[in-house]
Amino acid sequence: EVQVAESGGGLVQPGGSLRLSCVVSGFTFSSYGMNWVRQAPGKGLEWISLISSSSSATYYTDSVKGRFTVSRDNAKNSLYLQMNSLRAEDTAVYYCARLNYGDYGHFEYWGQGTLVTVSS
Amino acid sequence: EIVLTQSPATLSLSPGERATLSCRASQSVSDYLGWYQQKPGQAPRLLIYDASNRATGIPARFSGSGSGTDFTLTISSLEPEDFAFYYCQQRAGWPLTFGGGTKVGIK
């Protein structure tokens, strides 16, 4: 059974930093690209970052470029999102999601999300 | 950026009725379009990938069609558990984008 679990969310002040983690099981982590997708309260879904299976490629949406960094540790079946210079508009539930085939495809498996609140 | 526009924003139907949801892309995405279902307090669930392929475990009442810029998700006969939000998503260009969503509510 595939399992995806995010952690690391919480309350942080504007300008602060937070590191999210995502641990997976039930599939060969090193064979799949992974993503972070967020959802602000009462709003729709927003893709923010993708990292390829071997970490050779990373992609970001413009609003987080230069502030967020995605990484992974295939030996630990773990995905990370380092978030710096946080803003109020970064407040959201952050989901970790696996692509459905290799480094391509749609978001097949999702965690339950972790809430990040940016507020003073 | 490829903008996805979903319509209608809200659809009010009764169980057993047919639901037809639309997603229009601002430029061609070929068939690189997926559909997700999300219920309150839950993570999204992949229903359809690459326009017309049902994801693992998705009932046959869900079907997807279209290519290029115009796509449709059809639920042939609504079950009580199908009342939810639905989002389309393209993987043809960066950044990956979602539509604004359609809420399927009980009439």
Side-chain angles (χ1 to χ4, degrees):
Chain A
E1 179 191 4
V2 172
Q3 295 191 343
V4 179
E6 304 91 341
S7 62
L11 176 63
V12 61
Q13 292 188 339
S17 298
L18 211 55
R19 189 194 197 208
L20 305 184
S21 299
C22 171
V23 178
V24 309
S25 61
F27 64 95
T28 303
F29 182 66
S30 59
S31 295
Y32 291 90
M34 296 294 295
N35 298 263
W36 290 99
V37 177
R38 69 184 178 185
Q39 187 169 34
K43 302 297 184 183
L45 299 166
E46 180 186 24
W47 170 82
I48 56 173
S49 183
L50 180 157
I51 184 167
S52 64
S53 56
S54 65
S55 302
S56 59
T58 57
Y59 303 89
Y60 300 92
T61 195
D62 283 351
S63 63
V64 308
K65 278 180 187 173
R67 300 188 300 124
F68 291 11
T69 303
V70 63
S71 61
R72 63 190 295 161
D73 184 337
N74 286 345
K76 295 183 178 180
N77 284 1
S78 294
L79 174 73
Y80 306 101
L81 186 69
Q82 177 66 43
M83 304 186 296
N84 299 330
S85 303
L86 283 161
R87 307 166 179 167
E89 55 264 36
D90 295 318
T91 294
V93 174
Y94 285 72
Y95 295 102
C96 167
R98 195 203 87 173
L99 296 174
N100 64 335
Y101 29 79
D103 285 328
Y104 305 95
H106 295 284
F107 310 123
E108 183 175 21
Y109 292 105
W110 299 65
Q112 283 306 302
T114 187
L115 176 63
V116 173
T117 303
V118 184
S119 175
S120 55
Chain B
E1 172 174 324
I2 298 173
V3 176
L4 299 179
T5 302
Q6 291 188 240
S7 61
T10 304
L11 200 51
S12 295
L13 295 168
S14 300
E17 289 193 295
R18 182 183 189 90
T20 304
L21 287 66
S22 174
C23 178
R24 176 164 288 177
S26 60
Q27 63 190 78
S28 176
V29 298
S30 184
D31 61 355
Y32 298 139
L33 194 287
W35 290 92
Y36 301 83
Q37 177 193 67
Q38 187 180 33
K39 297 177 182 179
Q42 296 185 17
R45 177 174 70 145
L46 179 65
L47 300 174
I48 301 289
Y49 65 93
D50 292 345
S52 61
N53 300 283
R54 271 190 303 276
T56 303
I58 301 304
R61 65 181 181 273
F62 291 93
S63 63
S65 63
S67 66
T69 61
D70 290 296
F71 300 86
T72 301
L73 174 69
T74 302
I75 310 171
S76 59
S77 178
L78 282 163
E79 297 288 338
E81 62 267 28
D82 298 337
F83 292 94
F85 286 88
Y86 292 83
Y87 295 94
C88 58
Q89 177 253 326
Q90 65 80 20
R91 66 177 187 90
W94 303 102
L96 307 180
T97 52
F98 289 89
T102 291
K103 179 182 179 181
V104 178
I106 300 176
K107 187 174 183 180

